[in-house]
Amino acid sequence: MSCKDEQIYGILWNTTMAGITLKEPCPKYQKGVATRFCDEHGEWEPPNFINCTNEALVNASSLLDSIIANETRGQIQETVNNTLRLMKNLTSSRNGIGAGDLSSSLGVLEKIVTVTNATGFPIEKEVFYAVIDNILSPNNSNAWTTVSKETEKDPSFLLKNMDRFSKITLRNDNITTTKFNGSNFELVINRAKIDETGIRFPDEQSNNVFLNSEENPTFLKLKKQASNATKAINYVAVLYKTMSDILGSDSKRFIRSDKNVMMLNICGSLILSYTIFISSVEQTSNEVACVAITAIIHYLFLVTFFSMLGLGVYYFMSITVTYYALYVANNFQSKSRVRWFLGGIWGIPVIITATNLGAFWGKGYHLKSYCWLSIESGSLYLFIIPVCLISLINILIIVSLLRVLFASSIVARSSLQRKAS
């Protein structure tokens, strides 16, 4: 079977055998490679444009990379503001934007926040918020689904960077009232003395209304507080109106990422191992049961440490490799690798535990008083050695991360207090 010639989205997809993924250059004015899978029945699946990005956006992202890597010093503020204006135009399409442009836009926004945090240069906030508003449009829900599935840039990625930008804004003591009332999100930056007045967000004049006018709009109200504060407080309030549409029915506060999955593995293995350890480590009366308990605890503790190694390797690929080999790192982050991490995290300890059990069966595998590996017979070394190696590797990874951080212009221009933190 084969999929027949078909032209769609400006690309001619030539006849392809079933079970094959065809690669073609991205449409006009975009960089990258589009893919399309011909299924086993000889039917085309929808094209995948996750790696197709507008050329202007790619160039803007490269300029920001140069600024962050200290290769470009001049015109930083102008570069950032020009990039924001470009993004506002690119993301304002009523038909929505593609998955590749969405993913790249999220990455560029993160870089802009990073540069703003390091340099302190003011940017065009209204344009920044307009880009956020465009990205949060329900017209982009299909692109969000693809990006969330194939990369780590889910909606929480956007929320995190909005939070970072808000904290940067709040550092300024001379805050001026800023209001943004968009179609997809609202924002207020202001100062208030809470012992003199309360805070209501959004206010009565906002566009935050439901389709059903009989329902009350969503709002938050902080009543006047009994406080003797000498200074007004700075605050940022944000309302995301379309987040539930973007998250989709399958993803509506569980928001997953490779890091979260590996962190959950650490927690799960620790809970299981400690539960078994506390409840069963003294059950030495039954030899077979004690051997099983020892092996299970050994295995789960190894899973915990290999989970820590997995996180270390993930950060190494995401940060250190990004600094020295941007293409390799971007390829690594372009889609989830969690299945490979989980395979190693849970698979390698099986080999070590089984080897240890076979080598020391009937030779003092566990202690006489406890169901745990014996130092006298040497079985404990097959726990100590992997743990020491993992610790050493993670220390080396930490050193490499610190070298990258202190080699960047972002940290080099920071205060001593920020460098220490």
Side-chain angles (χ1 to χ4, degrees), residues 47-87:
N48 188 330
F49 295 105
I50 190 66
N51 294 316
C52 293
T53 307
N54 186 284
E55 291 183 9
L57 200 56
V58 172
N59 295 334
S61 181
S62 298
L63 277 175
L64 291 171
D65 285 331
S66 298
I67 292 172
I68 294 172
N70 202 24
E71 295 174 5
T72 302
R73 291 181 178 272
Q75 307 298 323
I76 294 177
Q77 186 176 0
E78 182 181 351
T79 299
V80 170
N81 287 327
N82 287 341
T83 300
L84 284 173
R85 289 191 286 270
L86 168 69
M87 293 177 68

Side-chain angles (χ1 to χ4, degrees), residues 222-271:
L222 178 65
K223 295 182 179 180
K224 186 167 66 172
Q225 306 290 302
S227 171
N228 295 320
T230 57
K231 293 176 63 178
I233 63 167
N234 300 335
Y235 70 91
V236 176
V238 186
L239 171 67
Y240 298 95
K241 304 177 185 178
T242 57
M243 191 57 70
S244 60
D245 296 327
I246 290 172
L247 287 173
S249 58
D250 294 335
S251 309
K252 289 178 182 178
R253 286 358 168 185
F254 181 70
I255 300 176
R256 71 183 187 278
S257 71
D258 288 0
K259 288 180 288 187
N260 289 344
V261 171
M262 286 186 281
M263 191 63 74
L264 285 172
N265 270 270
I266 294 176
C267 297
S269 58
L270 276 174
I271 291 170

Side-chain angles (χ1 to χ4, degrees), residues 181-209:
N181 200 336
S183 302
N184 306 303
F185 95 110
E186 293 183 36
L187 173 140
V188 169
I189 302 173
N190 209 345
R191 293 170 63 85
K193 290 196 71 173
I194 57 175
D195 58 340
E196 296 178 1
T197 181
I199 298 173
R200 187 188 192 278
F201 173 76
D203 58 29
E204 289 81 356
Q205 286 75 40
S206 81
N207 292 332
N208 175 35
V209 293

Side-chain angles (χ1 to χ4, degrees), residues 106-147:
L106 292 171
V108 170
L109 283 175
E110 182 181 45
K111 294 172 185 176
I112 288 175
V113 173
T114 299
V115 171
T116 305
N117 183 44
T119 62
F121 290 149
I123 67 170
E124 297 178 2
K125 291 188 177 69
E126 284 289 325
V127 184
F128 180 88
Y129 296 138
V131 174
I132 300 291
D133 192 58
N134 291 341
I135 286 175
L136 288 171
S137 170
N139 296 330
N140 299 328
S141 57
N142 290 335
W144 272 109
T145 300
T146 302
V147 170

